[in-house]
Every structure is written in C-alpha cells, then in structure tokens.
Amino acid sequence: MANSDCNSKGHAIPRPVSRQSGIIGLLLLLVGAFFSSSANSDELRSKKITAGFVFNFAKFIEWPDLPPAAPIQLCVYADREMLNIFAELSGHRIAGHEVKIVAFSTKELNNCQVLYIDRSRQNIFQCADIKHHARLLSVSNIDNFVRQCGMIGLFEVDNKLRFTINLDAVKRSELKMSSHLLRLAHIWRGKKQ
Amino acid sequence: MKSVCRWFSNLQITTKLRLVIWLITLTALVFTGALLITNTRVALRHIVVERLTTQADIIAANSTAALSFQDRNAAYETLSALSVDNGVIAAVILDAHGELFAVYPEGKERLDKFATLQSSDHVFTPSELFIKRPILFYGEMIGFVGIEYSRKQMTRELWLSSGIIVLFLVGAAFSAFLITALLQRGITRPIQELAALADRVAKKQDYSIRATWLSKDEIGTLAKHFNKMLGQIQTRDKRLEAYNRHLEEMVTRRTEQLEDLNRQLEHKAQHDVLTQLPNRALFEDRLQHAIVRAERNQEKVALLFVDLDHFKRINDAYGHEAGDQVLLQVARTLENCVRSEDTVARFAGDEFILLLSGLNFMIDVNVVAAKIALEMSKPIEYKSTPLNISASIGVAVYPDDAANAELLLKAADVAMYHAKNQGRNRYQFYSSEMNIKIGERKNLETELLRAIEENQLLLLYQPVMDLRTGAIDSLESLLRWQHPRLGLLPPAKFLPYAEESGLISKIDHWMLSNVCVQAKAWEKQGSPIHVRVNLAMRDFLRKEFFDLFFDLLQKNALSAERISVEIKEHVLMDETPLTVELLQMLRKSCIQLSVDDFGTGYSSLYALQHCPVDFVKIDGTYINEIHDNEENDMMIRAIVAMAHSLNLTVIAESVESYPQLAYLKQLDCELAQGYLFYKPMPREQVEKLIL
C-alpha cells in the first residue's frame, strides 16, 4: 500500500514495450542500437549497462519485511537521459515484486528500496541523506562513493563495468546481500579508524 | 546330443549331481552377472547424468551473478570448479542467446553439440556425454550450462564395477561349489552306501547285511524297504537252505537205501532167493577160482552134483510150500555135510551142487558123498508129515575128469544122471563111458520134442475081453513112437526121459485129446466103446489138468463113462488129501479109474479102500508066472479075492496062454487082455473088430 502511494507521488516512468525479453537481452539490444544509431553511443551504452547493473543488484538483495505485493521502488538521481533509460525497466518484476522507477527526491527516500545517484549529481548528494536509511541499497558511480557512505560503487576497468561493495555499510544495514554478488564485487571493508 | 546324454547317464550320481548344480549355478551367475553389469551400466549412466546434471545446476546457480553482471572471469572461475572431476572434458556457459559466455578449459568446447540439444537435455556419443542445463534466475532463463563429459571415465567405472561383480560372482560360484560339495554328500552318500551295500550283497551273496543309513527322506524309505527285502530274501534263503538240507538228507537216505538195495540185488544176483545159497553165477565164478588155485597148488577140486529124486512129486502132491521147505532143509543139510570153506550152491530147481576144493585124496570125496547120500535119505518133516526124499549124486573131480570148469560141471551132471538111472538114492563117480549114454539121452529128448510137434506119436489099441461073455469089453490105448530112424518104440524106451524132461505133460495131453476124439468118432459110427487111457499122472493130480480133461469131454460131447483112466500104483501110495480130493472129483464125474500094475508096489490096502477106484489091473509078471510056483498063484488069488471083496473089477493083463485063461476064469476074474486074444493094433484094425 505504501508502494502504491509512493508511485502516485513520485515521477512515473513509462514501462518498456517488451516485458518478455530478459534484462540482459534488453541491455544487449540497447547496446546494439546505440552502436549503430548514436555518435556518442559509447556513452549511451555505458549508461544503459549502468542502469542494467543497478536493476540486477536488486535481484541479489533481500529486503526485510517487504510485503509480497509491494513494489521495489528504484529511485534514480540522474540526468534526463539516464532517467529515461531507467524508465524502460519499470514494470519488470523481481521475485514477484514489481519494479518501480522513481525520480529521486529527499521526501521519497523512505519509500525507496534502491537509490542510484549518478556521477552527474555528485554535487548535490550528501551522505547524511542516506545514512539513516537502513533498508536502502545505495548505488552510485561517483568516485569513492563507498568510501564516503555508499554501499555499491560502480567503476570501469578495461572498458568493463565493475563494482565495489562497502561491506561495513551492508552489515550496518538491515539488507541481506547474496554471496554471489559479493563474489563478483571488489570488497571495501571501511577505514581502519 | 545323444552321445552327451549317454555320457551323462553313465556318470556317477555324485558327478551328475555336482554337474547339474554347477551348471545351474553357473547359468544363474552368468545371467545375474550380465544383468548386474547391464544394470550397473544403466545405473552408472544414470548416476553420471544425475551427477553432471546436479553439477551443471550448481554451476548454473553460481553463474547467475556472473551472467547478470557480465563477469566472464567469475563465470570461468565457477566453471573451473569442475576441474576436480576427471571426466569433464569441457564446460561452457552460454547466454540466453546461446552465445558462448565462458568456457573451461578453453579450446575443447563443442558448441555445435550443445546447440543441437534442448534447454535441458543430454546425449551420449560413442566417447562422450553432453549435458545441457538452463540457468534460471527468478523464473527467467538467463543462459545455459553445458558439460562435455568423457565416457572413458564411465567405461573405467563400469569396468571396475563389472570387475567387482565378477569377483563376487566368482566368490558366489566358489561358495556354491563348496556348499554343493558339502550338501551333495548328504544326498549322494546314502545312495552310494546303498549302492555299495547292494554290490556287497550281490558279490558275497550275504543277505544278513543291512543298510544303516535310515534317514526320514525317500532314500531312508528306500533303505528301509531294501532292508525289508533283504530280510525276506534271508528268510527265504534259510527256508531254501533248510529245504535243501532236507533234500540232501533225503538224497543221502535214498542213496543209502539204493546202496542197500544194490547190495541186496547184488546178493540176489549171486544168491538163490529161497535158500540164500550162492546161485549158479556165483558158483561158476568160485569154481573158476578154485580151479585156478588147484592148478597152482597141485590140488584137486571135486564137484558133487545133487539132484533130488521125485522132488516134483512132492511139489505136486503137497504144494510148492512143501517143496520150498524141502529145498530149504536140503540146503541146510548139504551145508552141514561140508566144511565151511566149501561152496554149496543151488543150481536150478531141485539141483544142488557142492564144490570141494583143496582135496588131496579121493577118499575125502567118497566120505562126503556117502555122508550126503545118507543124510538125504532121511525123511524130512513137513507139518508133522514125514516126506521121503532121496538124492542122486554125481561126482566129478578136477583135473582127473575134466580139464576145465565147464567140462567138470558137465561130467558131474552126467555122473548124476547115471546115478539116477542106476536107481536113484546113490552117488556115482564120473567115468568117461558115461558121456556116450548122456549123448543118447540128450538126442532122445530133442527128438521126442520134435515127435510131439511133428505128430510122430501114435496110439495102438488092445481089446480087453470080458471073460464071462467072451466079447470085447473095452479098448486100452497104448502109446507108441514112430521114430524116423529107430522104428516103432514102446513107451518104456522114451517115457522115462519124457518124465525127466517134463515133456510127459505134453504127451499126456496129446494122448487124452486123441483118445477123446477117437472115442467120439467110434460113438458116432455106432460103436460106443469104452476106452482106457494110461496117464503118467504127474500133471493129472493138478486141478488144471482136470479142467482140461472136462473141457475135452465137453468139446467132444463125450460121455464121461466112455473113458477110464489108468493110474500107476504109486500114485495111490502117495496118498495126500489133494490126491484123494481130485480122485473123488474124477469119480463124481463118472470117469472110471483103474490101478495099473497092481501088486508091484507097496500098495496100501487102506488107500485102495478109501480111493474111488473101480478097477484093479493085476501086473503082467504075476500072470506070466501062473502055475510056475504056488506063491504066485496064491498071490493072484488073494488079489482077486481082495478086489472082489472091495467091489472092484479085476483085469488081468499079458494073458498069453489058455491055462492062464482057465486059471483066471476059475478065479472069476472079470476082464483080461493079452496076446492070447489080440495084440495091440492100429486104429484101422481095431475098427474092423468093433464096428
């Protein structure tokens, strides 16, 4: 019920046409399309992969006390283009939960299960905003995001997107993270302070 | 196949049983082995497929993140976990489009094979197994895991399992072998024991052996029944044995009896049944020996041939029992007369013979012969009747009288006959002249026999005159022998021989039948004349002869009055109950009886009185001497007077002169015959007188 409320309050992102095809398929499709059509297709492709990654993270996370019918609200804090890309993922289901893409606002943060902060909004983001949300998975491609307060930080190596997980932040939160995810990630265990 | 069957049926039961069990076990084991190995193969395949499927699923589960985040390294790492499985040739992760995402180890993948497979499938190629499993994530198929598996490993595992199976089966076969060897003894041993028992019984013929294996199964039953059967055989055997023993005893007894009988027979063959004296055969044997011994020792052997006088008369008059008694008595007497080493034998009938050996002096023989003659003349008592008997003894001595046993016997025989002819009741030593007479006698006997057969005998008839009327009263038939060489012979010339040889019966018979026929013939011709016939009477005193006589009368339809029989005086003398009875029978049948030659013997007036006699014929010697001396005349007078006083008719024979006739007439003698009236004449002549 909270989700439906959230939906109505946030920015609704239109659902993609084909819901049958898998996320990876979609991603590749998108990549293909960008390669052929756009001049800055590399950038678009990168954005789409990033969006796919964020969506896929949600699959390896377990939120406590999430009612079965409740949606997973993915709150995006990015530019317009990136937001549109995310919007295509809206309506997909993860473990029975419908995925809802919502444009980030501080008010809405309580209803968000996943928060993505794009590097382009680096300046606006403050760690304090997310610090007290123990049930929020925070993802960003901002450099040193995990070192500040984020849970998953995205980075590129050899033109491939990779991620670092702040194990302290995950432990502090109430989220349960799949070991499969942890196995793929670079692990950051926090500062030895 | 037939030869195999035959080979099998000839096997020992142990081998058979073992073979059967082993074959069954082996077959079962081979099938079990094949089944197990097949099953193992199938199971192994299933297990491998299962295992690989599981592994693929694990890989799939662990690859979701790598696929989701395009992390090929992580996917490779996940796949590399399969390196622990030696059988894995290669493993791949394909994305949702079937594009290769990760491979381990690189370069060995066979994507074409995986492409042909369904999303969840496996396929076996000759050397490999391909397995494909989907990678599912939240119900979405995000890729595939493919594993290429070497079947070498599988084959190796199969070989291993098969090896173990075979090892177990070999173990099982071995156990079966052992168990068979152990248990089969339980089946075959009793059978073998039974067979061995049967074999032993058959070989030893010992039915007392018993089977000891008495289990409760069929073999036990068989053994039990076998024992029972043996028992029955044993019982039967015993019975048979007893029966055999009984038979043997019987045979032994019979053999003894036979031997006894044989001895008796032998004794009988060599001894006379009645007197128990050696018989002729044994005697001849002893004679041979005696002669051989005498020859060697320069000794003499004497033979005494003893013949009883008138023995036949005793037999006829008193019966055979009396005769036997006489013979027995004689035998004992003879035995008593000689030494124990001498032989007394019964030769035949009333003939005995004595063999005296080892003699040196003729005087010895004389003594013995005289003693015998004396002893034999003593009467023998039979049923308190003294029987008068005497013996004629012929003596011959070896080597004086004969050169061998046969001739010696003949010589003794000849001497005996000579003694008989000398007047009986005497002994006579052999002399060579005797042989000639003996020869004559033998010839005469032969000729007489032929005479009867060839009808050389004939009858003459002499009329008997009635002195009171001067007419012919009757005819006396007189026997003659028309000898082919010697001419017509009177009875005195041949009748004694006939009497001795027994031919007299035949002659009597011949006479009687001829007289009957003739008398009938005359009767038919109108002259029923009375005919007198002289019979020797030896057989006449036998009942059979009477039957014959009556038969003849009946056959000829002749009245008994036509015939009268003349008997010698001595027949009356030997008066016995049988004689009297027979004579009375004769008298009753109206046959008249004359006493011939009356006055010559020791006639008993008593006999004359009691016997049914009708006529008395005065002997011719008395008639011839009429008027020659007074005593003779007195004698005739006395005879006639006596006869008349006994109501007997008197016949005078040999009347030759008128003075004689006159004298007889004077004495009232009724009948007479003689040359004065008629000579004996042939039938034709007499018929002229009477017809």
Side-chain angles (χ1 to χ4, degrees):
Chain A
M1 270 152 281
N3 278 0
S4 57
D5 290 343
C6 288
N7 262 352
S8 56
K9 283 169 191 167
H11 299 279
I13 292 167
R15 290 181 182 182
V17 181
S18 169
R19 294 183 62 187
Q20 267 84 5
S21 60
I23 301 302
I24 300 297
L26 174 74
L27 277 174
L28 292 174
L29 203 72
L30 290 173
V31 167
F34 282 120
F35 270 131
S36 57
S37 60
S38 177
N40 50 353
S41 59
D42 276 353
E43 199 184 342
L44 183 67
R45 178 181 160 268
S46 176
K47 282 183 174 171
K48 283 193 174 179
I49 289 171
T50 304
F53 263 52
V54 173
F55 180 81
N56 281 343
F57 285 143
K59 289 178 181 174
F60 294 93
I61 303 296
E62 228 178 274
W63 283 271
D65 306 326
L66 188 68
I72 292 172
Q73 211 159 166
L74 206 163
C75 300
V76 180
Y77 196 25
D79 56 22
R80 190 80 222 159
E81 190 185 19
M82 189 65 176
L83 209 61
N84 284 339
I85 291 168
F86 268 110
E88 284 180 32
L89 296 168
S90 178
H92 286 279
R93 282 174 180 274
I94 295 170
H97 302 281
E98 194 184 345
V99 174
K100 255 179 140 180
I101 306 296
V102 178
F104 173 78
S105 69
T106 324
K107 298 186 288 181
E108 287 289 329
L109 205 57
N110 277 337
N111 292 324
C112 286
Q113 267 79 36
V114 182
L115 170 67
Y116 175 68
I117 303 157
D118 194 67
R119 193 187 290 136
S120 56
R121 297 292 183 268
Q122 185 174 339
N123 304 325
I124 304 163
F125 175 72
Q126 287 180 344
C127 268
D129 293 340
I130 58 168
K131 231 172 192 173
H132 305 290
H133 294 279
R135 294 179 182 181
L136 179 71
L137 174 72
S138 56
V139 183
S140 176
N141 55 359
I142 300 169
D143 295 335
N144 296 321
F145 178 63
V146 291
R147 287 171 185 243
Q148 291 164 20
C149 57
M151 280 181 175
I152 297 173
L154 294 167
F155 62 96
E156 271 190 26
V157 176
D158 299 336
N159 220 18
K160 277 179 188 169
L161 194 61
R162 285 288 172 260
F163 55 92
T164 306
I165 291 174
N166 183 345
L167 210 57
D168 278 345
V170 172
K171 280 179 180 171
R172 270 198 309 272
S173 72
E174 292 175 13
L175 299 181
K176 281 186 184 169
M177 190 171 278
S178 165
S179 61
H180 293 294
L181 192 65
L182 288 170
R183 201 158 60 82
L184 295 185
H186 291 258
I187 303 297
W188 191 76
R189 292 175 192 274
K191 288 173 190 167
K192 307 265 168 81
Q193 290 162 337
Chain B
M1 192 63 201
K2 261 186 188 171
S3 62
V4 171
C5 280
R6 202 178 313 126
W7 169 79
F8 184 76
S9 64
N10 284 338
L11 285 176
Q12 290 268 311
I13 198 155
T14 312
T15 319
K16 243 182 240 176
L17 207 61
R18 277 187 192 173
L19 211 63
V20 166
I21 294 171
W22 290 347
L23 276 176
I24 289 169
T25 310
L26 216 63
T27 311
L29 288 180
V30 163
F31 275 102
T32 310
L35 191 73
L36 280 176
I37 289 168
T38 310
N39 188 48
T40 306
R41 187 167 174 267
V42 170
L44 210 60
R45 282 171 75 146
H46 187 70
I47 288 166
V48 167
V49 168
E50 282 287 303
R51 196 181 79 217
L52 289 177
T53 303
T54 307
Q55 281 178 358
D57 285 348
I58 291 167
I59 298 286
N62 290 332
S63 306
T64 47
L67 259 177
S68 298
F69 300 106
Q70 297 289 300
D71 192 335
R72 289 172 191 269
N73 288 333
Y76 179 82
E77 274 171 30
T78 306
L79 285 177
S80 68
L82 286 173
S83 67
V84 296
D85 193 335
N86 290 331
V88 174
I89 298 167
V92 293
I93 294 174
L94 306 172
D95 64 19
H97 299 283
E99 296 297 327
L100 183 66
F101 180 68
V103 60
Y104 170 88
E106 279 177 72
K108 286 188 179 170
E109 72 274 14
R110 293 277 303 278
L111 294 178
D112 55 327
K113 268 288 173 194
F114 292 115
T116 60
L117 287 173
Q118 296 289 312
S119 63
S120 175
D121 200 2
H122 68 267
V123 68
F124 282 95
T125 66
S127 58
E128 286 127 0
L129 163 64
F130 292 92
I131 281 205
K132 191 178 177 186
R133 294 291 290 174
I135 303 172
L136 294 170
F137 195 51
Y138 288 112
E140 225 178 327
M141 192 164 67
I142 59 171
F144 303 97
V145 173
I147 296 174
E148 188 181 346
Y149 191 77
S150 170
R151 288 188 65 181
K152 270 185 195 162
Q153 183 64 22
M154 278 174 72
T155 313
R156 211 173 294 133
E157 277 176 35
L158 186 62
W159 271 115
L160 192 66
S161 302
S162 300
I164 290 166
I165 288 168
V166 167
L167 211 63
F168 269 102
L169 293 185
V170 167
F174 186 68
S175 305
F177 183 89
L178 280 181
I179 292 166
T180 304
L182 284 173
L183 292 186
Q184 152 257 304
R185 292 176 81 191
I187 300 169
T188 53
R189 239 187 66 205
I191 295 176
Q192 282 171 336
E193 276 186 16
L194 214 55
L197 179 77
D199 196 43
R200 217 159 55 236
V201 168
K203 273 184 187 153
K204 288 189 182 168
Q205 298 285 311
D206 180 1
Y207 297 103
S208 63
I209 304 171
R210 290 288 179 278
T212 49
W213 191 285
L214 295 170
S215 51
K216 283 187 177 167
D217 58 356
E218 291 89 334
I219 293 164
T221 312
L222 188 64
K224 208 165 68 195
H225 289 308
F226 188 64
N227 278 351
K228 206 188 274 179
M229 199 172 74
L230 282 177
Q232 282 172 356
I233 290 173
Q234 206 181 357
T235 315
R236 215 168 292 171
D237 247 22
K238 271 182 193 157
R239 234 179 277 156
L240 210 65
E241 209 178 307
Y243 184 64
N244 268 350
R245 217 168 24 239
H246 173 68
L247 270 184
E248 267 167 34
E249 278 168 14
M250 218 152 83
V251 166
T252 312
R253 213 160 48 233
R254 285 275 193 282
T255 309
E256 278 169 9
Q257 284 174 353
L258 274 177
E259 277 171 1
D260 206 35
L261 210 65
N262 208 27
R263 269 195 300 278
Q264 284 179 18
L265 276 177
E266 213 169 292
H267 186 265
K268 257 184 201 167
Q270 294 186 331
H271 291 80
D272 174 46
V273 182
L274 177 66
T275 59
Q276 296 302 316
L277 292 177
N279 62 8
R280 190 177 187 145
L282 181 57
F283 170 76
E284 281 173 357
D285 189 48
R286 288 196 183 169
L287 179 59
Q288 285 293 351
H289 281 285
I291 284 175
V292 170
R293 202 167 53 236
E295 195 173 30
R296 193 172 55 227
N297 297 346
Q298 297 286 308
E299 291 170 347
K300 288 179 193 298
V301 172
L303 278 193
L304 277 72
F305 207 117
V306 180
D307 188 278
L308 302 186
D309 300 326
H310 306 303
F311 176 71
K312 287 193 174 75
R313 255 173 36 209
I314 290 173
N315 245 356
D316 293 342
Y318 296 95
H320 288 289
E321 202 188 321
D324 287 351
Q325 279 301 318
V326 167
L327 287 173
L328 269 172
Q329 192 57 51
V330 167
R332 297 293 90 80
T333 306
L334 289 175
E335 276 179 326
N336 289 335
C337 289
V338 296
R339 301 165 297 174
S340 61
E341 65 260 36
D342 296 327
T343 299
V344 178
R346 185 174 174 205
F347 213 61
D350 56 348
E351 291 172 350
F352 292 86
I353 195 151
L354 289 87
L355 169 65
L356 314 177
S357 52
L359 299 172
N360 291 319
F361 304 104
M362 288 304 278
I363 190 122
D364 296 340
V365 185
N366 261 312
V367 169
V368 173
K371 190 177 172 190
I372 289 169
L374 179 67
E375 289 295 325
M376 296 303 281
S377 63
K378 291 178 181 169
I380 289 166
E381 191 122 324
Y382 171 66
K383 287 185 178 172
S384 64
T385 306
L387 299 178
N388 288 314
I389 194 147
S390 62
S392 302
I393 304 162
V395 184
V397 177
Y398 172 88
D400 304 351
D401 298 330
N404 59 35
E406 197 189 346
L407 290 177
L408 190 64
L409 254 173
K410 207 174 254 177
D413 190 27
V414 166
M416 184 274 291
Y417 268 105
H418 203 75
K420 246 188 207 322
N421 286 340
Q422 292 284 312
R424 304 170 197 269
N425 195 15
R426 64 187 67 224
Y427 67 92
Q428 178 70 51
F429 276 78
Y430 174 78
S431 71
S432 53
E433 296 91 56
M434 289 174 183
N435 241 347
I436 301 157
K437 285 185 182 172
I438 289 298
E440 253 179 44
R441 196 167 67 87
K442 287 281 174 199
N443 273 339
L444 208 65
E445 270 180 31
T446 319
E447 283 172 344
L448 192 57
L449 187 63
R450 200 184 308 139
I452 298 165
E453 285 163 0
E454 295 179 1
N455 223 3
Q456 290 174 12
L457 298 180
L458 57 92
L459 286 174
L460 295 183
Y461 298 94
Q462 187 175 36
V464 175
M465 308 306 290
D466 189 334
L467 295 182
R468 291 157 300 188
T469 60
I472 295 171
D473 172 73
S474 54
L475 297 172
E476 185 183 4
S477 59
L478 297 162
L479 183 64
R480 293 292 182 274
W481 180 6
Q482 186 63 55
H483 195 278
R485 186 160 43 82
L486 303 172
L488 201 62
L489 296 177
K493 288 273 182 184
F494 61 89
L495 273 189
Y497 303 115
E499 236 171 293
E500 280 168 11
S501 61
L503 284 171
I504 191 71
S505 307
K506 285 191 172 182
I507 291 170
D508 274 354
H509 186 201
W510 182 88
M511 274 178 74
L512 201 56
S513 59
N514 270 279
V515 165
C516 286
V517 168
Q518 191 56 65
K520 185 64 192 174
W522 285 329
E523 193 184 274
K524 276 185 181 168
Q525 289 171 51
S527 180
I529 196 158
H530 187 91
V531 183
R532 299 171 189 276
V533 59
N534 284 292
L535 293 180
M537 288 308 288
R538 173 176 293 201
D539 290 301
F540 195 77
L541 293 176
R542 291 216 322 265
K543 194 170 180 303
E544 291 80 13
F545 197 83
F546 275 71
D547 293 340
L548 183 84
F549 192 5
F550 296 135
D551 273 355
L552 280 171
L553 291 177
Q554 210 166 1
K555 210 162 73 185
N556 293 299
L558 193 67
S559 166
E561 291 150 9
R562 292 279 169 270
I563 305 291
S564 67
V565 173
E566 290 192 359
I567 53 171
K568 294 281 187 281
E569 194 184 11
H570 64 73
V571 174
L572 287 181
M573 265 163 60
D574 296 338
E575 179 204 5
T576 63
L578 181 66
T579 315
V580 175
E581 188 190 333
L582 289 173
L583 289 176
Q584 271 166 356
M585 260 175 72
L586 205 61
R587 189 70 195 87
K588 269 182 198 156
S589 57
C590 300
I591 295 169
Q592 291 176 320
L593 214 55
S594 317
V595 180
D596 207 3
D597 302 335
F598 193 81
T600 54
Y602 310 94
S603 283
S604 147
L605 287 177
Y606 177 84
L608 205 59
Q609 190 189 354
H610 286 87
C611 284
V613 176
D614 302 292
F615 302 93
V616 169
K617 191 179 261 185
I618 302 167
D619 193 64
T621 50
Y622 291 107
I623 306 301
N624 289 341
E625 290 178 13
I626 286 174
H627 299 317
D628 285 359
N629 62 66
E630 192 57 32
E631 282 171 17
N632 185 58
D633 290 356
M634 274 174 68
M635 191 70 187
I636 293 171
R637 259 204 307 278
I639 290 170
V640 173
M642 181 195 67
H644 282 164
S645 63
L646 288 171
N647 282 328
L648 301 177
T649 306
V650 179
I651 306 170
E653 62 176 2
S654 304
V655 179
E656 290 172 354
S657 64
Y658 286 107
Q660 288 168 0
L661 176 64
Y663 185 71
L664 290 170
K665 272 185 172 176
Q666 187 195 324
L667 293 176
D668 287 333
C669 180
E670 290 90 348
L671 302 171
Q673 61 186 106
Y675 281 20
L676 182 64
F677 310 106
Y678 298 103
K679 290 179 182 176
M681 55 187 84
R683 181 177 56 87
E684 296 80 14
Q685 281 186 25
V686 93
E687 278 177 353
K688 281 179 189 163
L689 294 174
I690 59 169
L691 291 179

